[in-house]
Amino acid sequence: MIEFMDYVVQAFHAATDWNPDNSYSSLTATSDALLSFPTPSTLALHVSSLATPNFATSYTLSTLGQIDGSISYLYSTVPLGHIPSQAPSIPLRCLVRGYRDIKLPLPVTLGEKRAAREAIENNGKPTLLHATLALPPPSVLTALYARRINPETLVSFSLYSKSVASPALTSGPPPAAVLAHIQHDTGRYSIEGLGSTDNALLGVRGLWNFGLSPQVDEEGPSIPLYTPETDPLGGFTEFPSGLSLPLPPYTDTKTIYRNRLASKPSLLSAGAEFYYSPFSHVIGLSTGLRFTTLAPHITPTEPDSSQSSPSLTTKELLSFRGKPLAGTSASLLSTAGHTLLTPSNVSHSSFPYTMTLTLTPLTGSISSTYSVRPTPTLALSSQFDFNFYSWESRYVIGGELWRPYRRDRHSRTDSADAEGVLPSSDDHLAWVRSKTKDWFSPAEQTLKDERLQREEENVWKFRLDDSWNVKALWTGRVKSLLVSAGVSVSPVTKHHHSSAATLSASDGVGDLAGPSTSSVKRWTGSVGVSIAYST
């Protein structure tokens, strides 16, 4: 379960229409969420609040031998009062990172750029400030400054400072490191630049999405729309006298481009990153591929009543037996209209899945992942790592299982009452529900069902590798609290060195043997609980 401040940062990106998935750093986000999730190792209490639409606070108190905690503050120039901030109302899927449905990276059109410029002129550039101070000593201060300088560019500065253990031996401020990051996202590609004061580390990384055409000019050419009066071949179509068929809506190149992208069944992305430090002469290089399925979603433009022709009645349509002549505008428009008016929310032809392949040439490491969601409540993932230099390998499997809201026999009884079916004889409270079923309006009943669904929804996450390292995490609600309970177990092999005297059976002489080594495998682990409450 992510912290409340991370949830607010995600809401800031969503409010400013920023796509965090279109980045090389998010190439393996799905498998990382299913296989590399953290488990609490202490008893921690988080109290958070969205005090105003622009300001949030969070306090953490944990204990494991000693008591420690942290204080966090966040300020956003974009109002975030529309997001659910109370613990009972926050959807659990917004707090638990699991299988991710990649958002289609649509390019920013000229109209959206003009609208963004007008919004910036009226409200200013979206800015986010976030700082966290961890106590007690050694204290750690982390800060973040993020700013959208234009619809395609995000600039951020991160600060990390940790106090030294013996301040009397050192003079001056505690050591700190600043990381500058800039990202330019056009939808078709994303390029990032990084610079850190720690050893003057410099880096660049980029991501390219295949199958996305260049940006379409809204003021470019459009598909001409003919009417029976302006169609030069309209006389060859077999229309009844005085009648005209309804024509599809006016379609420009932008609408065609959006519909074509929205109907993409999958997305292939390739990226790479490179790091270099001139002080320590450290070089880092990696590259990767990602293939993921996308849920098609086409929303056709509503036809304009001023441009549409008079519609035919049912009797006139039944009496019409002619067909448009092949090659005429009526035939082409009827085919185009049938193609463009595709039903929205078309389901997958198969279950959603994501595959990634990353390679680090300098260290000889290659990693492949495969994540799949066969049902809406179950997601599975596997990862295989191999090193060409040491011939070492590792295999990891994991997944998540959601327990959705289950309607009990009482809800089935309510539906039976609504359909006029007599309830079963073992339900002794049926008469109470029949008396109170009209107390709530349909809207109030819907809100009540959503609240019950949020209260009963929980998720199990598990992970196992070939070294028998086991992790399990449960996240759900207990009354108005968000609770995460996790356990982590791993084997540890300890080697014992000892000397032993062996006695020869032939001559009865005791020979002192050399030191021997024995290994003992033991199991170690940790258990923790994290409790969160927000207002």
Side-chain angles (χ1 to χ4, degrees), residues 4 214 220 340-341 350-351 407 446 471:
F4 182 79
L340 292 177
L341 298 180
S350 62
F351 40 76
R407 294 184 176 272
T446 302
K471 281 186 178 182

Side-chain angles (χ1 to χ4, degrees), residues 287-299:
T287 182
L289 291 171
R290 180 184 64 190
F291 179 83
T292 181
T293 56
L294 299 173
H297 183 84
I298 301 178
T299 305

Side-chain angles (χ1 to χ4, degrees), residues 108-119 151 217-219:
V108 181
T109 59
L110 298 179
E112 294 173 347
K113 288 184 179 180
R114 288 193 292 265
R117 293 193 191 99
E118 294 177 358
D217 189 357
E218 294 182 2
E219 300 177 357

Side-chain angles (χ1 to χ4, degrees), residues 192-487:
E192 304 172 59
L194 302 96
S196 176
T197 58
D198 187 10
N199 292 327
L201 184 65
L202 302 175
V204 61
R205 57 192 179 195
L207 184 71
W208 182 274
N209 299 309
F210 295 93
L212 302 183
S213 300
Q215 180 176 339
V216 178
D217 189 357
E218 294 182 2
E219 300 177 357
S222 303
I223 295 179
L225 181 63
Y226 294 105
T227 61
E229 292 78 10
T230 60
D231 186 6
L233 300 178
F236 292 95
T237 56
E238 301 177 7
F239 288 108
S241 59
L243 298 177
S244 59
L245 289 177
L247 297 175
Y250 182 80
T251 306
D252 56 6
T253 53
K254 175 191 172 184
T255 305
I256 296 177
Y257 177 64
R258 291 277 183 170
N259 290 343
R260 185 179 65 82
L261 290 184
S263 61
K264 282 180 63 64
S266 59
L267 179 65
L268 176 63
S269 306
E273 63 179 353
F274 175 77
Y275 295 94
Y276 175 71
S277 174
F279 290 169
S280 59
H281 301 286
V282 175
I283 298 178
L285 176 64
S286 68
T287 182
L289 291 171
R290 180 184 64 190
F291 179 83
T292 181
T293 56
L294 299 173
H297 183 84
I298 301 178
T299 305
T301 307
E302 294 294 336
D304 190 359
S305 58
S306 61
Q307 296 181 357
S308 60
S309 303
S311 58
L312 299 176
T313 62
T314 306
K315 183 178 180 180
E316 292 169 342
L317 287 175
L318 292 176
S319 62
F320 176 63
R321 294 293 185 267
K323 295 182 180 180
L325 187 63
T328 61
S329 61
S331 176
L332 295 177
L333 287 175
S334 62
T335 305
H338 182 270
T339 304
L340 292 177
L341 298 180
T342 306
S344 61
N345 294 327
V346 180
S347 59
H348 285 281
S349 58
S350 62
F351 40 76
Y353 62 92
T354 301
M355 298 184 296
T356 63
L357 178 66
T358 56
L359 174 64
T360 308
L362 299 180
T363 59
S365 301
I366 185 172
S367 176
S368 61
T369 65
Y370 178 74
S371 305
V372 62
R373 189 173 61 189
T375 65
T377 59
L378 176 64
L380 302 173
S381 181
S382 62
Q383 178 179 351
F384 178 75
D385 301 333
F386 182 76
N387 190 280
F388 291 101
Y389 299 153
S390 62
W391 293 88
E392 295 180 352
S393 62
R394 187 185 67 154
Y395 187 75
V396 185
I397 59 174
E400 62 177 3
L401 178 62
W402 287 84
R403 179 182 176 270
Y405 169 65
R406 297 182 301 178
R407 294 184 176 272
D408 54 5
R409 62 179 183 178
H410 304 309
S411 61
R412 291 194 297 268
T413 304
D414 295 340
S415 61
D417 294 340
E419 297 175 359
V421 181
L422 294 177
S424 58
S425 58
D426 58 347
D427 190 1
H428 303 288
L429 299 178
W431 65 275
V432 178
R433 279 183 292 276
S434 62
K435 295 292 184 180
T436 60
K437 65 179 181 179
D438 297 331
W439 287 9
F440 302 99
S441 63
E444 293 174 343
Q445 186 65 33
T446 302
L447 294 176
K448 180 182 177 182
D449 294 340
E450 292 179 356
R451 180 178 59 83
L452 293 176
Q453 181 179 0
R454 289 193 301 266
E455 290 178 355
E456 295 191 7
E457 190 176 31
N458 56 74
V459 58
W460 280 95
K461 303 184 75 172
F462 54 91
R463 176 193 181 275
L464 174 66
D465 60 12
D466 53 359
S467 299
W468 295 102
N469 297 313
V470 182
K471 281 186 178 182
L473 178 67
W474 177 86
T475 304
R477 282 187 171 88
V478 178
K479 299 299 181 179
S480 298
L481 302 177
L482 292 167
V483 180
S484 290
V487 58

Side-chain angles (χ1 to χ4, degrees), residues 40-183:
S41 58
T42 62
L43 177 60
L45 175 63
H46 307 267
V47 179
S48 309
S49 174
L50 187 62
T52 66
N54 302 88
F55 186 74
T57 59
S58 180
Y59 307 95
T60 301
L61 183 65
S62 61
T63 174
L64 181 61
Q66 63 178 2
I67 298 177
D68 57 0
S70 64
I71 304 174
S72 301
Y73 296 97
L74 185 143
Y75 174 77
S76 170
T77 59
V78 179
L80 302 175
H82 62 280
I83 66 172
S85 60
Q86 298 181 358
S89 61
I90 301 178
L92 195 61
R93 292 184 181 270
C94 296
L95 300 176
V96 178
R97 291 176 177 172
Y99 186 91
R100 303 184 64 169
D101 291 317
I102 303 299
K103 181 181 178 182
L104 184 65
L106 293 176
V108 181
T109 59
L110 298 179
E112 294 173 347
K113 288 184 179 180
R114 288 193 292 265
R117 293 193 191 99
E118 294 177 358
I120 290 176
E121 293 177 357
N122 298 331
N123 304 323
K125 297 180 180 180
T127 305
L128 177 72
L129 298 174
H130 174 38
T132 301
L133 178 62
L135 299 171
S139 302
V140 178
L141 174 64
T142 57
L144 172 66
Y145 170 83
R147 187 179 182 89
R148 291 284 299 276
I149 58 178
N150 58 56
E152 298 178 346
T153 307
L154 174 67
V155 177
S156 63
F157 295 91
S158 302
L159 171 67
Y160 178 85
S161 177
K162 183 177 181 180
S163 62
V164 294
S166 301
L169 301 179
T170 60
S171 60
V178 178
L179 174 65
H181 173 259
I182 181 171
Q183 180 179 359

